[in-house]
Structure formats: structure tokens, C-alpha cells
Amino acid sequence: MAAGAVSLLPTQSQAAPKPTVDEVRKQVEQLYEEAEAPTEEYNAVREEQKKLQGEVDSAQDRLARKQQEINELREKIGPLAAAQYRSGGIDPSVQLFLSGDPDDYLDRAEMLGRTSDRQAEALRAMQSMQREIAQERATAAQQLKALEETRAKAAEKKEEVQAKLTKARKLLNSMTAAQRARMEADQEREDATAGVSDSASTYNGPASGRAKAALDFAYAQLGKPYEWGSTGPDSYDCSGLTGAAWRAAGVSLPRTVKQQYDAGRKVAKSDLQPGDIIYWYNDNQHNGMYVGNGKAIHAPRTGKNVEIAPLDSMPFFAASRP
């Protein structure tokens, strides 16, 4: 029995067969595709983070100004209080008795009244300012808390994306140089068959006006690498490219695929015009720009460059016109 058990060990300890080149490629592409959704979520959180940071900065500026106003009011109230003590600390009847001139006493009493009025007004102003500053502090505290929550969420999404990309890199690194070369050659053949191109060129299609300006910019980015979370000028993710292109044409678009989808006027596939934004898979995963002739320009995924690809190279979901 012992001998039999020993004889089984080599079989049990054998490593699982390594995946084939095609299997690795499919796994890597799947990981890259899975990284797109959290990338867009990360972009949305980062936009919220910027907004909250601006609100926090504004609140802190307001607090500083109000604190300065309170300090100035305190400086005014101090001398007024001292004057009141000097002029009003004695019983009025005694003041009249000590005064050799009743008119002089009346003048001093009137001045004292004015001093008291000014002090009361300054005190009321300071009390109002203190209430305002307390409210500002409470608002700022809430905004700071929200900001910290978005920072934590952004870090979580960043970690999720990086974990998928790291796994993809490990798969690629497990291949031999010959296997990687074969995979790249296969991809190039597929791209050529599908009409995918990332060579630098100039847009010469039928678009005009702002749409042409946006496409001119997009074409100038051909061959630049995809990088998640990037809006240029040296690299882009998908919504980073569409946003930068239309920004160059004078149109401000929101940051993420989902936000761009929600902001645009929807157009049917049959009514597409060059410059329209194309959404593949769903309304929040991947987008690009229609260039005409059934093709689109987009920033595809990690490991690839801005390219022109067939419109139907991915499942078409919708289109919008900025």
C-alpha cells in the first residue's frame, strides 16, 4: 500500500498544463474588458472628488474671511467697552454733582449713549458672524467627510483596475518570447482583416464645423497609447479621448462614458453622422467617435493605441450627438 501510495505522488504533483496562446490571449482580453467598467467608475469618483475639493476650499476661504471680520469686530468692541467703563462706571447723579457745568454733563451723557449704541451694534454684528462661522464650520466638516469617502472609493476602484491589469501582465509574462510574438502577429492579422488602423493620418471625411474640428483632433491622436484614467495629451482612455476631441472643438463634455451618454442628444444608428459619439456594450463601459463609412475612432484598452476600427467590431449600444 505504501509503495502504491508513493507511486501515485508524481501523478498528483504534476502541474496543470499551461494555457495555449489563444487561451492566454482570450483571458488577457477578458481582463482588459473587465477593467473598463471600474475605470469609468474611478473617473466618475475622481470628478466628484475634484468637485468636493473645490467646495472644501471655498468653505475654508469663507471661514478665513469671516474669522478676519470677527477679529476686526473684537478690535472695535474693545475700545468701546473701555470708553464705557471710563465714562459710565459712575452713578449718573454723582456725575452730575461732580460736574461743574450741567451742559458739559449732558454732552458727556449723550456721547456715552452713542458709545453704548455703537457697542451694542458691534456686539450684535459679532454674534451674527459667530453663528455664521459655526454653520460654515459644520458645512465644511460635512464636505471634508464626503471628500475623504470619495478618496477611499477612488483608491478602491484604482486597486480593482490595477489588480486586473496585474493579472493580465502575469499571464503575458508567463509566455515565451516566441508565444508573445505569435500572439502579436495574430492580433495584427485580425486588425488588418477587420480594417483596424492606428497609423497617423488626417481626417478627410464629410464632417464640417465643430464635428470636423473634433475629428481632426482625434485623428491627430492616432497611435497614442491607451492609459486608464488619462485625458491626454500623451495618452487617453476611451471617454478621455472623446472629451478631449470635442473640447478642442469648443464643446465641453462630462468626464465619463455614462455622463457623456446622459448629456448627449440620442441618434439612431441609421442617422449617424461623423463626430457622433458611439457607445458599445452598454451606456457606461466604452465609447468612441463615428468617422463615417461604418468606422469609428477610439482608445481601445490597455496595451493598444488610439485606432480606427469598424463600427461593428464591438456590440453597438447607442449613439449621441454633442
Side-chain angles (χ1 to χ4, degrees):
M1 288 178 64
V6 171
S7 68
L8 289 174
L9 289 177
T11 303
Q12 292 173 341
S13 63
Q14 284 177 358
K18 284 191 174 183
T20 65
V21 171
D22 286 341
E23 287 171 340
V24 170
R25 182 178 161 191
K26 287 177 182 176
Q27 289 177 45
V28 168
E29 288 179 351
Q30 179 68 27
L31 286 165
Y32 285 151
E33 186 177 322
E34 288 174 1
E36 278 203 272
T39 293
E40 287 301 309
E41 291 176 47
Y42 172 82
N43 290 338
V45 173
R46 286 285 292 164
E47 285 299 293
E48 180 65 15
Q49 186 177 335
K50 288 177 189 175
K51 177 185 170 214
L52 286 169
Q53 184 67 64
E55 291 174 356
V56 166
D57 291 344
S58 297
Q60 289 173 337
D61 288 343
R62 289 194 302 271
L63 275 170
R65 286 196 299 272
K66 289 184 188 299
Q67 188 62 55
Q68 181 60 33
E69 290 177 30
I70 283 181
N71 293 342
E72 290 171 1
L73 284 169
R74 280 182 178 144
E75 289 175 4
K76 289 179 183 177
I77 290 171
L80 289 173
Q84 184 184 41
Y85 176 78
R86 287 194 301 271
S87 303
I90 302 175
D91 184 87
S93 60
V94 178
Q95 284 188 352
L96 181 59
F97 177 77
L98 293 175
S99 174
D101 183 352
D103 290 335
D104 177 58
Y105 166 74
L106 292 173
D107 289 341
R108 288 165 59 193
E110 185 179 357
M111 182 189 71
L112 176 62
R114 287 198 300 270
T115 301
S116 298
D117 288 344
R118 287 200 301 274
Q119 182 184 1
E121 182 181 348
L123 282 169
R124 282 193 296 270
M126 191 167 82
Q127 287 171 342
S128 174
M129 193 67 65
Q130 284 174 329
R131 284 193 295 269
E132 289 177 17
I133 206 169
Q135 180 60 45
E136 288 286 355
R137 282 192 177 123
T139 300
Q142 290 174 346
Q143 290 169 337
L144 275 169
K145 182 181 177 184
L147 179 58
E148 288 306 315
E149 288 173 353
T150 59
R151 280 178 178 157
K153 190 173 180 183
E156 178 185 330
K157 288 299 168 187
K158 183 176 181 179
E159 186 177 336
E160 183 179 348
V161 172
Q162 289 180 327
K164 291 184 182 298
L165 298 184
T166 298
K167 189 173 180 182
R169 279 194 297 272
K170 284 181 177 177
L171 277 168
L172 291 171
N173 290 338
S174 70
M175 304 174 71
T176 65
Q179 288 174 321
R180 283 197 295 271
R182 180 190 153 193
M183 188 168 76
E184 289 169 6
D186 289 346
Q187 182 66 61
E188 287 174 3
R189 277 195 299 273
E190 279 190 17
D191 287 346
T193 302
V196 173
S197 170
D198 64 0
S199 59
S201 59
T202 303
Y203 177 75
N204 56 9
S208 60
R210 288 182 170 176
K212 183 179 186 309
L215 286 169
D216 284 343
F217 178 92
Y219 267 65
Q221 314 315 307
L222 281 166
K224 291 186 179 180
Y226 174 99
E227 183 179 357
W228 73 277
S230 180
T231 57
D234 299 320
S235 59
Y236 298 88
D237 64 16
C238 63
S239 55
L241 176 65
T242 53
W246 274 100
R247 186 164 57 250
V251 177
S252 179
L253 295 181
R255 173 65 181 94
T256 70
V257 171
K258 174 66 173 171
Q259 290 167 338
Q260 291 177 7
Y261 173 82
D262 291 339
R265 178 167 59 91
K266 307 304 177 293
V267 292
K269 189 176 182 182
S270 57
D271 294 328
L272 280 174
Q273 293 179 11
D276 289 347
I277 298 181
I278 306 299
Y279 303 87
W280 290 282
Y281 300 106
N282 52 46
D283 63 351
N284 65 4
Q285 185 165 339
H286 189 67
N287 68 358
M289 292 171 62
Y290 187 61
V291 302
N293 282 333
K295 293 185 178 181
I297 185 168
H298 70 136
R301 59 165 174 77
T302 299
K304 297 195 76 175
N305 302 324
V306 175
E307 66 181 20
I308 296 170
L311 178 64
D312 293 326
S313 59
M314 292 170 281
F316 177 90
F317 175 75
S320 69
R321 189 164 297 156

